[in-house]
Amino acid sequence: MKPTLPADGDETVRPRAVPAQPTAQAAPGTGRDSHASSSTFLARAALLTAVLSAAGSLLGLVRDQTLAHLFGAGSETDAFLVAWTVPEVAATLLIEDGLAFMLVPAFSAAIALRGSRPVPGQDPVRALVAASLPRLTLAFLASGVALIAGAPQLVELLAPGLPDPQLAVDCTRLTATCMLTFGLTGYCSAALRAHSSYLAPAAIYVAYNTGIIVTLLLLADRWGVRAAAAGVAVGGCLMVLVQAPVLRRRLTRADPESRPRPDARGDGDGDGGAQQKQSLDMMLISTVLLFALCRQSQVFIERFLASSLPSGAISHLNYAQKVAQLPMVLSLMLCTVTFPVVAKALARGDTERARDRVERDVALAACIVLSGAAVVFACAPQIVQLLFQRGAFTAADTAATASIMRVYSLGLLGHCLVGALVRSYFSAGRPTWYPVASMALGMTLTAGVGTLTVGTWGVAGIAAANALGITFTAVLLLTAMDRRSVPVRLPVVLVELGKTLLAAVVATVAGLVGAARVGQPLGSLTAGCLAVGTVFGLLLWALNVQAFVPAVRFATRKLRHVR
């Protein structure tokens, strides 16, 4: 019987029982069966996460379409998007990067300790929750109150050129509630993923965007764009409600992982490391939060520079970025699923498994993001026209947004690599300043280039600075992986990335040619996507890209089976 994903979120792998055999003979077979079951489970968990994340992203597009239809790309939307900076930063700090980098290794180490040396009446996982959750909740609450009180100063700092700053202040105070709800959401997500429970964490953005859309439709006539900010508050509460009951069940029952494993070590480095990482290290917290803040500073830079441009500049940047980054979001789903796997492998001292996992993740994520980047660059006008050009969103807004999307697409590989590689740097649960320094250098480059180019190129100069800065950070992180993080085989990784990038460039040209041959937007987009997909796939196969070959073999094997 294959591993299954039960409806309550408990995705623990339960292989079929086999007849008892002598221990000396059973170990090898058991290891192979366990590895195969683990690989199958990870594939299913990644698929589940990708499907629900795609659903959340599609609802995010519906949210942006609703906002564009109701308010267009004018001063009202600009005011809301300045306030939208708060949930964007909070999501990075508390859900996607910051808390996850701290808590997933901490929970993984506690789970490893519980499995290797169980003590009756003492659960390291529950002890970690008791020690960390109350303090973090108070910190989340205090941060939200501080943002509500300092909203006028924050708006003035972020966008001093806004024509209606009071509207942005009102929206900021409504969105500041997400500091508490996003913090609790991130805590639950990290704890559940460390327990190999992926259903509830993957569904959070479905709940979040549903809350925003419904609130917008109900309150837009009376509250104007403030309804979108109120939707952020509602959506944040829904994210907590989706996960909290599942986590409560996981913590209040005996977990299968608490039983001693056949390969568990009662002493040694693995157990000692788990013991040391059972509590949260303040230095680790500092490095993780500083990295997340440096990464999110690109939003501050963009909003600050764009606030001095004509009305609509911030909106055009936002719409272009949201659509252009969809491939990057989808490409990182596998890394999100396997991050606890890498953390647990390092907690047990299995660096070889961690290395193989990271190399596969980087290669596959690059294939996904570059195929999406090729489609975005080749078909940007058609995508924007089909998604947004209605209501208050005009053809001029479409042209401006599409040109920015193409520039953003140049930095998608950099964004993907930063998201994938930084998980490896923090997967051991130890503080490291190298990612922080790399991100700070990249954002400094973004700010400098953006300041120099915004006067000449406008919003396109801001987008180009973003792409250049994040790519520079990705290069710094990648070239130091073999020395400062999981010891990957750097030459192998670079060769695979180079072949994938070459295939993406050729596929982009094919997509431009295919899209140009059809006049109608939907047909043009379809032709461009088909051209990109066909050429990209053929080149990956011809160049023998290792992340693509297993997929071809699997499809061929299935086809032969059907025949």
Side-chain angles (χ1 to χ4, degrees), residues 465-488:
N466 180 306
L468 181 61
I470 199 68
T471 301
F472 179 68
T473 300
V475 171
L476 293 178
L477 292 176
L478 182 60
T479 53
M481 277 288 291
D482 56 342
R483 304 185 306 275
R484 300 176 180 271
S485 180
V486 178
V488 300

Short mmCIF file of all heavy atoms in Angstrom, two decimals, residues 465-488:
data_model
loop_
_atom_site.label_atom_id
_atom_site.label_comp_id
_atom_site.label_asym_id
_atom_site.label_seq_id
_atom_site.Cartn_x
_atom_site.Cartn_y
_atom_site.Cartn_z
N ALA A 465 16.68 47.57 -11.49
CA ALA A 465 17.51 47.57 -10.29
C ALA A 465 17.17 46.38 -9.39
O ALA A 465 18.06 45.74 -8.81
CB ALA A 465 17.32 48.88 -9.52
N ASN A 466 15.88 46.07 -9.29
CA ASN A 466 15.45 44.90 -8.52
C ASN A 466 16.07 43.62 -9.08
O ASN A 466 16.63 42.81 -8.33
CB ASN A 466 13.92 44.82 -8.56
CG ASN A 466 13.36 43.64 -7.79
OD1 ASN A 466 13.74 42.50 -8.02
ND2 ASN A 466 12.42 43.92 -6.90
N ALA A 467 15.97 43.44 -10.40
CA ALA A 467 16.50 42.22 -11.03
C ALA A 467 18.02 42.11 -10.85
O ALA A 467 18.55 41.03 -10.55
CB ALA A 467 16.16 42.21 -12.51
N LEU A 468 18.72 43.23 -10.99
CA LEU A 468 20.18 43.21 -10.85
C LEU A 468 20.60 42.91 -9.43
O LEU A 468 21.50 42.08 -9.18
CB LEU A 468 20.75 44.55 -11.31
CG LEU A 468 22.27 44.69 -11.26
CD1 LEU A 468 22.93 43.67 -12.18
CD2 LEU A 468 22.70 46.11 -11.64
N GLY A 469 19.96 43.54 -8.46
CA GLY A 469 20.35 43.35 -7.06
C GLY A 469 20.11 41.93 -6.57
O GLY A 469 20.97 41.34 -5.90
N ILE A 470 18.96 41.34 -6.91
CA ILE A 470 18.65 40.00 -6.42
C ILE A 470 19.52 38.96 -7.12
O ILE A 470 19.91 37.95 -6.52
CB ILE A 470 17.16 39.69 -6.58
CG1 ILE A 470 16.75 38.52 -5.66
CG2 ILE A 470 16.81 39.37 -8.02
CD1 ILE A 470 16.79 38.83 -4.21
N THR A 471 19.86 39.20 -8.38
CA THR A 471 20.75 38.27 -9.09
C THR A 471 22.15 38.30 -8.49
O THR A 471 22.80 37.25 -8.34
CB THR A 471 20.81 38.64 -10.58
OG1 THR A 471 19.49 38.58 -11.14
CG2 THR A 471 21.71 37.68 -11.34
N PHE A 472 22.62 39.48 -8.11
CA PHE A 472 23.93 39.59 -7.46
C PHE A 472 23.94 38.82 -6.14
O PHE A 472 24.90 38.10 -5.82
CB PHE A 472 24.25 41.06 -7.24
CG PHE A 472 25.57 41.31 -6.55
CD1 PHE A 472 26.77 41.02 -7.19
CD2 PHE A 472 25.62 41.82 -5.27
CE1 PHE A 472 27.99 41.24 -6.57
CE2 PHE A 472 26.83 42.05 -4.64
CZ PHE A 472 28.01 41.76 -5.29
N THR A 473 22.85 38.94 -5.36
CA THR A 473 22.76 38.19 -4.11
C THR A 473 22.77 36.69 -4.35
O THR A 473 23.43 35.93 -3.63
CB THR A 473 21.47 38.58 -3.36
OG1 THR A 473 21.48 39.98 -3.07
CG2 THR A 473 21.33 37.81 -2.06
N ALA A 474 22.05 36.24 -5.39
CA ALA A 474 22.01 34.81 -5.71
C ALA A 474 23.40 34.29 -6.06
O ALA A 474 23.78 33.17 -5.65
CB ALA A 474 21.04 34.56 -6.86
N VAL A 475 24.18 35.07 -6.79
CA VAL A 475 25.53 34.66 -7.15
C VAL A 475 26.40 34.52 -5.90
O VAL A 475 27.15 33.54 -5.74
CB VAL A 475 26.16 35.67 -8.13
CG1 VAL A 475 27.65 35.39 -8.33
CG2 VAL A 475 25.43 35.62 -9.47
N LEU A 476 26.28 35.46 -4.97
CA LEU A 476 27.06 35.39 -3.74
C LEU A 476 26.69 34.15 -2.92
O LEU A 476 27.57 33.46 -2.38
CB LEU A 476 26.83 36.65 -2.91
CG LEU A 476 27.37 37.97 -3.47
CD1 LEU A 476 27.02 39.13 -2.54
CD2 LEU A 476 28.88 37.90 -3.67
N LEU A 477 25.40 33.87 -2.81
CA LEU A 477 24.97 32.70 -2.03
C LEU A 477 25.39 31.39 -2.70
O LEU A 477 25.85 30.45 -2.04
CB LEU A 477 23.45 32.72 -1.86
CG LEU A 477 22.87 33.82 -0.97
CD1 LEU A 477 21.35 33.77 -0.98
CD2 LEU A 477 23.39 33.71 0.46
N LEU A 478 25.26 31.33 -4.02
CA LEU A 478 25.55 30.09 -4.73
C LEU A 478 27.04 29.75 -4.69
O LEU A 478 27.43 28.60 -4.45
CB LEU A 478 25.07 30.20 -6.18
CG LEU A 478 25.26 28.96 -7.06
CD1 LEU A 478 24.51 27.77 -6.47
CD2 LEU A 478 24.79 29.24 -8.47
N THR A 479 27.89 30.73 -4.93
CA THR A 479 29.32 30.46 -5.01
C THR A 479 29.95 30.10 -3.66
O THR A 479 31.07 29.57 -3.62
CB THR A 479 30.06 31.67 -5.59
OG1 THR A 479 29.72 32.85 -4.84
CG2 THR A 479 29.67 31.88 -7.05
N ALA A 480 29.25 30.38 -2.55
CA ALA A 480 29.79 30.04 -1.23
C ALA A 480 29.12 28.83 -0.62
O ALA A 480 29.42 28.47 0.53
CB ALA A 480 29.64 31.24 -0.28
N MET A 481 28.23 28.17 -1.35
CA MET A 481 27.49 27.03 -0.79
C MET A 481 28.42 25.92 -0.31
O MET A 481 28.21 25.35 0.77
CB MET A 481 26.54 26.48 -1.85
CG MET A 481 25.22 27.22 -1.95
SD MET A 481 24.13 26.90 -0.55
CE MET A 481 23.72 25.19 -0.80
N ASP A 482 29.43 25.59 -1.10
CA ASP A 482 30.27 24.44 -0.76
C ASP A 482 31.13 24.69 0.47
O ASP A 482 31.65 23.75 1.07
CB ASP A 482 31.16 24.08 -1.95
CG ASP A 482 32.01 25.25 -2.43
OD1 ASP A 482 31.67 26.40 -2.09
OD2 ASP A 482 33.00 25.01 -3.15
N ARG A 483 31.28 25.96 0.89
CA ARG A 483 32.13 26.27 2.03
C ARG A 483 31.34 26.68 3.27
O ARG A 483 31.78 26.45 4.39
CB ARG A 483 33.09 27.41 1.68
CG ARG A 483 33.96 27.14 0.47
CD ARG A 483 34.97 28.26 0.26
NE ARG A 483 34.35 29.57 0.19
CZ ARG A 483 33.84 30.10 -0.91
NH1 ARG A 483 33.84 29.39 -2.04
NH2 ARG A 483 33.30 31.30 -0.90
N ARG A 484 30.18 27.31 3.10
CA ARG A 484 29.48 27.91 4.22
C ARG A 484 28.13 27.28 4.53
O ARG A 484 27.49 27.65 5.51
CB ARG A 484 29.26 29.42 3.96
CG ARG A 484 30.56 30.19 3.78
CD ARG A 484 30.26 31.65 3.43
NE ARG A 484 31.46 32.42 3.25
CZ ARG A 484 32.10 33.07 4.21
NH1 ARG A 484 31.63 33.03 5.44
NH2 ARG A 484 33.19 33.77 3.96
N SER A 485 27.66 26.38 3.69
CA SER A 485 26.34 25.79 3.89
C SER A 485 26.42 24.29 3.66
O SER A 485 27.45 23.67 3.91
CB SER A 485 25.34 26.45 2.93
OG SER A 485 24.05 25.92 3.09
N VAL A 486 25.33 23.70 3.17
CA VAL A 486 25.35 22.29 2.81
C VAL A 486 26.39 22.10 1.70
O VAL A 486 26.35 22.80 0.68
CB VAL A 486 23.96 21.84 2.32
CG1 VAL A 486 23.99 20.38 1.89
CG2 VAL A 486 22.92 22.05 3.41
N PRO A 487 27.35 21.18 1.86
CA PRO A 487 28.48 21.07 0.91
C PRO A 487 28.06 20.47 -0.43
O PRO A 487 28.35 19.32 -0.74
CB PRO A 487 29.46 20.17 1.65
CG PRO A 487 28.61 19.34 2.55
CD PRO A 487 27.47 20.21 2.97
N VAL A 488 27.39 21.28 -1.26
CA VAL A 488 26.98 20.82 -2.58
C VAL A 488 28.18 20.77 -3.53
O VAL A 488 29.21 21.39 -3.28
CB VAL A 488 25.89 21.75 -3.18
CG1 VAL A 488 24.67 21.79 -2.30
CG2 VAL A 488 26.45 23.15 -3.39
#
